[in-house]
Amino acid sequence: MTESAIAAIEPPLQASDITVRIARPDEYPAIGELSYAAYASDYEIGEDYAHTLQHPELRTDDYDIWVAEDPATGVLLGTTSILRGLEARGRALADELYFRLLAVAPAARRRGIGARLTTLALDLARERGLRAVSLNSGQNMTGAHALYRSLDFERIPERDVVIGEGEHAHTVYTFARPVEA
């Protein structure tokens, strides 16, 4: 997938015009490319994190990979990974749905796609009978924080995680939102 393929969508699709579905394994390379492009366009990405972004197939044992696509062209516009079970290795509480790695292709931003994928997590939590949805986000990901706050997620500082040590340490914020019945 290339940026020009995304930019060529006319008129620009809005979230209501896209299809959200589980990714197919043959789409994993494109999902990796989209995810890396989304994060690298805004943030400095380390080698390990780049590998995580570029290889969604490495998390399919625990996560369902979801995509937002243009139904007319099949172009992938966004993606997220939603934990299938309840074991988030300490990142989520037992009654929470956990999702991560929300990414929207840079040329497809500001169309509600990130909000649509986040709302998917809320809908799935409701269907599963869970109390809340939680996620982690790097402290410098202020655009993502604004999206989550606009959807009534609140930062839970006591659940923040520090990754790395010394000058390489950085805080990963935890956000959560209750699910309405």
Side-chain angles (χ1 to χ4, degrees), residues 28-108:
Y28 294 160
I31 292 165
E33 186 178 325
L34 180 155
S35 298
Y36 181 79
Y39 280 74
S41 71
D42 293 330
Y43 315 109
E44 187 174 322
I45 305 294
E47 189 175 316
D48 289 343
Y49 200 52
H51 186 77
T52 296
L53 293 168
Q54 293 168 326
H55 294 281
E57 69 277 4
L58 298 177
R59 56 185 173 275
T60 58
D61 284 349
D62 298 320
Y63 291 84
D64 288 323
I65 312 298
W66 290 81
V67 293
E69 77 171 338
D70 173 347
T73 65
V75 172
L76 299 182
L77 305 171
T79 184
T80 192
S81 297
I82 297 179
L83 187 66
R84 194 174 304 110
L86 295 177
E87 177 54 46
R89 295 183 180 90
R91 301 248 173 134
L93 302 178
D95 56 355
E96 293 178 341
L97 181 139
Y98 180 76
F99 78 100
R100 64 185 298 227
L101 300 173
L102 176 69
V104 176

Side-chain angles (χ1 to χ4, degrees), residues 80-140:
T80 192
S81 297
I82 297 179
L83 187 66
R84 194 174 304 110
L86 295 177
E87 177 54 46
R89 295 183 180 90
R91 301 248 173 134
L93 302 178
D95 56 355
E96 293 178 341
L97 181 139
Y98 180 76
F99 78 100
R100 64 185 298 227
L101 300 173
L102 176 69
V104 176
R109 291 182 180 166
R110 304 246 177 251
R111 300 179 191 172
I113 296 166
R116 175 95 181 267
L117 289 167
T118 303
T119 301
L120 167 70
L122 292 163
D123 292 343
L124 289 173
R126 190 175 303 105
E127 287 175 16
R128 295 176 187 180
L130 299 173
R131 175 192 62 81
V133 172
S134 65
L135 64 108
N136 295 111
S137 183
Q139 77 185 94
N140 63 338

